[in-house]
Amino acid sequence: VQADGTDGNCVTFVLHDEDHTLGNSLRYMVMKNPDVEFCGYCITHPSESKINFRIQTRGSLPAVEPFRKGLNDLMGVCQHVLNTFEVRLLPEELRGLF
Amino acid sequence: QAFRVDVIREEDGVLEFDMVGIDAAIANAFRRILLAEVPTMAVEKVFVYNNTSIVQDEILAHRLGLIPIRADPRLFEYRNQGDEEGTEIDTLQFQLKIKCSRNPQAAKESSDPNELYFNHKVYSKHMTWVPLGNQTDLFPDADFRPVHDDILIALLRPGQEIDVLMHCVKGIGKDHAKFSPVATASYRLLPDITLLQPVEDEAAETLQKCFSPGVIEIQNIKGKKVARVANARLDTFSREVFRHEGLKNLVRLARVRNHYIFSVESTGILPPDVLVSEAIKILMGKCQRFLNELDSVPME
């Protein structure tokens, strides 16, 4: 992970060993944040597996915050999906416990 | 979040389940991870001691690599980069040693190879597990073998033999497709078919034929046949209905925006529900990795 940017509000993160799998889902999570003015990702070259992930915030919020929040939100979504999925797999009798 | 998962299970290695209330980006992320990033064990290195069969060494090695091995990858570690030998926590060893010979009791003038020769077909059931180091203690009840016993590896004739030792390692589909744990994993959106006007009689019959069987059913209301959408899920969206002038304007085909029907078919290494759970955990692991990096690398 490497970050460089002009000032605290608009930062481009370079994420190594990542591709559309994390890029698109993370972008979706960060866009839900009303403080974010611009969020996008691109794959610099298909032969190298790294993405440029750019966040620009309105106002004075440092750009690292929506990034961190987006990651946490994505983890929360995954956890919720995992729990719902596993509960569904249990047989009928045990489902009443959840 | 108004989210639910319904399992419409059809086992036999295939799991079909619905996710409602999720977005395309996340559904696609799960599909990509299922295909390429859930690890499995597969044959990586083949040490050929003797191969006098017609199948060339590299072709034989390629075929052996593609055979799915029934071994839970969560019990093993990844092999380190430069490690040639392989230790017992990251490698499984298999041996294939088979020799074809002539059957002395075969009838003369018989031309059936099953009668004439012993062992002329090399199947995956001939692969035997050779425990390394303390693997017998670590896995006392485990029985590591290929998922299917009847995969044909090579054909032999009398006098030919194959004697190879194979090392299986843990890998992911991104590296080589042999490590992919699913036969395929796909998703589609739930179709949404609405009839804009009531369709009756002849038109109802044609309408029913336009869609896949079971989608439209015809009911008898007050003596007239009226068409009704029974089960939109079965439709394959062939758009046949738009080829008929009279029916074109009566039907609207659309998709429900956030209702995804996933279909996961496993190669047999891990059951499909375990695969989906693993995929979700891998996505969480990726996020966690970046969170940790964010916290450890100082921002300037």
Side-chain angles (χ1 to χ4, degrees), chain B residues 196-251:
Chain B
L196 297 168
Q197 295 165 28
V199 184
E200 303 170 346
D201 289 335
E202 291 298 324
E205 292 278 327
T206 347
L207 193 71
Q208 191 179 42
K209 288 201 183 73
C210 287
F211 289 99
S212 318
V215 176
I216 301 259
E217 75 174 2
I218 301 201
Q219 291 173 326
N220 249 313
I221 300 185
K222 300 184 205 152
K224 281 202 290 200
K225 286 193 268 189
V226 180
R228 195 180 71 89
V229 178
N231 190 355
R233 199 192 164 87
L234 299 171
D235 190 32
T236 48
F237 253 72
S238 66
R239 303 173 86 90
E240 167 77 19
V241 69
F242 294 126
R243 293 177 61 205
H244 296 263
E245 277 306 316
L247 299 175
K248 220 161 53 167
N249 302 321
L250 303 177
V251 180

Side-chain angles (χ1 to χ4, degrees), chain A residues 1 3-4 11 13-22 24-29 49 64 67-82 84-86 88-90, chain B residues 1 3-7 9 15 17 19 22-26 28-30 32-33 37 174 272-274 276-278 280-281 283-284 286-291 293-295 297 299-300:
Chain A
V1 176
D4 46 42
V11 178
F13 297 93
V14 178
L15 306 180
H16 291 275
D17 275 340
E18 283 303 329
D19 58 357
H20 299 287
T21 309
L22 193 66
N24 200 17
S25 27
L26 192 57
R27 180 196 59 81
Y28 168 73
M29 288 302 194
S49 69
V64 186
F67 187 57
R68 196 189 295 268
K69 185 165 186 304
L71 282 170
N72 279 320
D73 288 343
L74 191 56
M75 279 196 51
V77 167
C78 290
Q79 188 65 50
H80 182 69
V81 172
L82 189 61
T84 327
F85 184 70
E86 295 200 330
R88 280 280 168 244
L89 286 179
L90 295 176
Chain B
Q1 303 150 2
F3 171 76
R4 57 171 223 273
V5 174
D6 296 319
V7 177
R9 204 194 281 219
L15 177 67
F17 66 98
M19 283 211 220
I22 205 175
D23 185 72
I26 314 215
N28 197 29
F30 287 146
R32 287 176 68 103
I33 293 181
E37 302 198 31
K174 247 200 228 182
D273 39 342
V274 174
V276 178
S277 312
E278 286 297 307
I280 304 178
K281 287 180 199 157
L283 188 56
M284 286 203 297
K286 283 188 193 244
C287 297
Q288 189 63 49
R289 201 177 111 219
F290 284 114
L291 276 173
E293 290 248 16
L294 255 189
D295 292 332
V297 171
M299 295 279 121
E300 4 75 35

Side-chain angles (χ1 to χ4, degrees), chain B residues 33-261:
Chain B
I33 293 181
L34 273 170
L35 278 176
E37 302 198 31
V38 180
T40 54
M41 304 283 292
V43 174
E44 174 93 3
K45 280 200 185 342
V46 174
F47 299 97
V48 181
Y49 292 108
N50 189 356
N51 176 19
T52 39
S53 71
I54 302 192
V55 178
Q56 294 92 343
D57 289 347
E58 61 267 18
I59 308 288
L60 184 65
H62 183 245
R63 288 177 73 86
L64 289 169
L66 292 173
I67 297 175
I69 308 279
R70 187 192 299 277
D72 191 342
R74 296 169 288 184
L75 298 171
F76 295 91
E77 305 284 328
Y78 288 100
R79 191 185 271 201
N80 294 323
Q81 280 285 349
D83 197 1
E84 281 298 328
E85 277 304 316
T87 61
E88 52 250 356
I89 48 164
D90 60 30
T91 313
L92 271 183
Q93 224 181 31
F94 282 88
Q95 189 178 43
L96 179 64
K97 197 178 161 93
I98 194 162
K99 191 178 161 79
C100 179
S101 53
R102 199 178 285 274
N103 183 1
Q105 280 124 19
K108 279 211 189 141
E109 288 118 21
S110 147
S111 61
D112 176 18
N114 288 329
E115 254 196 42
L116 286 174
Y117 317 120
F118 286 135
N119 285 342
H120 70 281
K121 285 193 186 165
V122 182
Y123 287 107
S124 52
K125 65 174 187 263
H126 295 129
M127 283 169 63
T128 50
W129 176 45
V130 177
L132 267 182
N134 63 351
Q135 276 179 347
T136 24
D137 305 318
L138 282 177
F139 313 113
D141 333 300
D143 168 33
F144 296 120
R145 56 188 169 80
V147 174
H148 304 280
D149 283 335
D150 49 359
I151 301 177
L152 184 63
I153 302 177
L155 289 178
L156 299 175
R157 284 291 178 266
Q160 295 178 345
E161 78 174 276
I162 295 184
D163 182 5
V164 300
L165 194 65
M166 297 167 266
H167 278 191
C168 290
V169 293
K170 184 168 164 177
I172 57 176
K174 247 200 228 182
D175 179 25
H176 192 288
K178 71 191 178 201
F179 292 115
S180 180
V182 291
T184 190
S186 63
Y187 67 85
R188 61 192 178 106
L189 286 160
L190 182 74
D192 180 20
I193 305 175
T194 23
L195 296 176
L196 297 168
Q197 295 165 28
V199 184
E200 303 170 346
D201 289 335
E202 291 298 324
E205 292 278 327
T206 347
L207 193 71
Q208 191 179 42
K209 288 201 183 73
C210 287
F211 289 99
S212 318
V215 176
I216 301 259
E217 75 174 2
I218 301 201
Q219 291 173 326
N220 249 313
I221 300 185
K222 300 184 205 152
K224 281 202 290 200
K225 286 193 268 189
V226 180
R228 195 180 71 89
V229 178
N231 190 355
R233 199 192 164 87
L234 299 171
D235 190 32
T236 48
F237 253 72
S238 66
R239 303 173 86 90
E240 167 77 19
V241 69
F242 294 126
R243 293 177 61 205
H244 296 263
E245 277 306 316
L247 299 175
K248 220 161 53 167
N249 302 321
L250 303 177
V251 180
R252 189 180 66 204
L253 289 180
R255 297 256 187 207
V256 178
R257 286 282 303 264
N258 57 5
H259 186 138
Y260 292 86
I261 304 176

